[in-house]
Amino acid sequence: MRKLLLILFAGLVSLLSNELKAQEVLYPVIPGTEEWIALGSYSARLASVQLPTDTLKSISTARLLESCLYNPFIIDVLALDDLMYSMELLTGRLNCLEELYSREDALSELVLLYSSRQVEFIFEIPECDDSQCDQGRYQMDYVYLELMMTYMNNIIDFSPDEIKDVVSALLDKTTRWEHYYDTYGAAFRGNVLQLMGRLLNKVGAFYDYQGTTLFLFLETGYCSNASDLDYIMQVARRFTDIEENSFNQFVIAFPNPTDRLVKIIGTEVECVEVFNAKGQMVKETKENMIDLSAQEAGTYILKVITPSGVVTKQIIKN
């Protein structure tokens, strides 16, 4: 209950402090002004903060992101327990969000802004009545950006490089938050780790995990085993420490051994060449699913050609 009250308080001060940013985001009506107050109803105020069509199409993605982040109705994303459904509803109401998610560079701008914000900055804000809104807003900005990245992960497929960028940004913030637990608390840490885990799972990074509780957490957000959260952090550190040309351990060929089919996960596949023990190429495909049913039992080498380089995998055919 205490955590919920803290979250609600931070959200409320976030809403109030949006007045400080309103002049920067080109709304037809500026929140907090007499004109805004006179509108009265929710629907009228919601309509007043839609970006004009010409602005919507000409504004840069970075400025568009700021407009979404400081929209006074962004707080509505916290209205439901199902945050992704809440974001989906809000995207249908705010044209800035709908436009943002349609842009190809939206994710890179999200990661750039998220990475540029420093957790230590909050200590530079004096603790006085006039700045409490700024403190609350600054903390909630992280939450909104994380939810935006999570929602984008639900509606588009991130490339392996994009996954690495997002995981690196999330890992950096999560690691530094741990040093300032008394200030930031544990609110929404589960959301961050769930997003991080979902991304890592897409590249097969949990290949050595034994059990089911981790995958339950990734699917539902319900954590029944706290050690799973530490495990995600460990895998994230291992994943982000690898060099660009040595991501071989995160490209998985399974099942191995196999009776017939082998699937490549963890990367986009441009071409797969299959070699037998004599070094002869016996098969070539552009698919990530390789059918070895026509091959004799034995050991094979898969040469996987990807946009990031070449990966080799040894496969045993039963």
Side-chain angles (χ1 to χ4, degrees):
M1 184 65 182
R2 179 175 178 271
K3 183 187 297 185
L4 176 60
L5 291 174
L6 289 173
I7 293 171
L8 291 175
F9 172 76
L12 288 171
V13 297
S14 172
L15 177 60
L16 294 172
S17 65
N18 282 326
E19 298 177 20
L20 304 175
K21 290 287 183 178
Q23 295 285 351
E24 302 177 13
V25 292
L26 310 175
Y27 297 135
V29 176
I30 305 301
T33 62
E34 292 184 2
E35 184 180 4
W36 168 268
I37 295 172
L39 289 173
S41 69
Y42 177 93
S43 58
R45 290 178 178 176
L46 180 65
S48 76
V49 293
Q50 304 298 324
L51 293 180
T53 301
D54 56 343
T55 299
L56 198 66
K57 298 303 179 183
S58 62
I59 192 172
S60 69
T61 303
R63 296 278 284 126
L64 178 63
L65 173 57
E66 291 179 4
S67 297
C68 295
L69 189 61
Y70 296 116
N71 189 292
F73 288 95
I74 191 68
I75 192 176
D76 286 0
V77 75
L78 305 177
L80 304 176
D81 290 337
D82 187 336
L83 295 175
M84 290 302 97
Y85 179 60
S86 188
M87 178 66 80
E88 182 181 351
L89 292 177
L90 191 60
T91 301
R93 296 172 186 167
L94 295 179
N95 61 2
C96 65
L97 283 175
E98 185 176 17
E99 174 68 19
L100 178 69
Y101 294 139
S102 71
R103 297 197 178 186
E104 293 184 357
D105 60 342
L107 179 62
S108 60
E109 290 294 342
L110 272 166
V111 173
L112 180 63
L113 181 59
Y114 186 77
S115 301
S116 68
R117 301 182 74 85
Q118 303 299 313
V119 297
E120 296 83 2
F121 175 78
I122 196 170
F123 300 108
E124 299 177 12
I125 303 175
E127 293 185 3
C128 61
D129 293 341
D130 292 338
S131 68
Q132 288 302 312
C133 290
D134 281 344
Q135 287 190 349
R137 176 189 59 76
Y138 196 85
Q139 293 183 51
M140 291 304 294
D141 283 355
Y142 284 122
V143 175
Y144 298 141
L145 290 169
E146 289 155 6
L147 291 176
M148 288 178 185
M149 286 189 283
T150 304
Y151 185 72
M152 285 199 69
N153 178 48
N154 286 350
I155 62 176
I156 65 172
D157 289 327
F158 293 173
S159 71
D161 287 339
E162 288 174 331
I163 288 175
K164 186 173 181 181
D165 288 342
V166 176
V167 170
S168 296
L170 295 171
L171 179 63
D172 174 68
K173 287 295 183 295
T174 305
T175 301
R176 285 194 283 152
W177 275 338
E178 292 177 347
H179 296 294
Y180 304 105
Y181 182 87
D182 290 341
T183 299
Y184 285 95
F188 288 93
R189 181 173 183 261
N191 291 334
V192 180
L193 290 173
Q194 185 183 28
L195 171 57
M196 196 186 300
R198 285 178 174 178
L199 293 170
L200 290 168
N201 194 40
K202 282 192 172 183
V203 294
F206 300 138
Y207 62 89
D208 60 348
Y209 179 81
Q210 301 294 323
T212 60
T213 56
L214 171 66
F215 301 107
L216 177 65
F217 169 66
L218 299 184
E219 180 180 354
T220 67
Y222 173 70
C223 181
S224 60
N225 185 355
S227 63
D228 288 338
L229 304 183
D230 295 331
Y231 174 74
I232 292 173
M233 291 284 287
Q234 293 168 6
V235 174
R237 292 189 182 98
R238 188 173 67 195
F239 178 70
T240 54
D241 281 345
I242 63 174
E243 298 177 0
E244 293 296 332
N245 61 353
S246 62
F247 64 102
N248 189 52
Q249 61 178 309
F250 290 101
V251 177
I252 309 297
F254 75 99
N256 187 17
T258 181
D259 293 325
R260 184 169 68 91
L261 297 176
V262 177
K263 185 176 182 180
I264 303 295
I265 64 170
T267 184
E268 178 183 345
V269 172
E270 292 183 346
C271 180
V272 179
E273 298 173 353
V274 182
F275 296 85
N276 61 20
K278 298 178 181 180
Q280 301 168 324
M281 188 169 71
V282 296
K283 189 177 183 67
E284 183 178 13
T285 179
K286 296 184 182 300
E287 304 295 328
N288 69 337
M289 185 74 76
I290 304 100
D291 188 349
L292 298 179
S293 57
Q295 309 304 321
E296 298 179 353
T299 300
Y300 292 85
I301 298 296
L302 308 184
K303 181 180 178 182
V304 185
I305 301 171
T306 81
S308 301
V310 177
V311 176
T312 58
K313 291 293 175 181
Q314 180 175 289
I315 288 290
I316 298 175
K317 164 73 185 309
N318 291 328

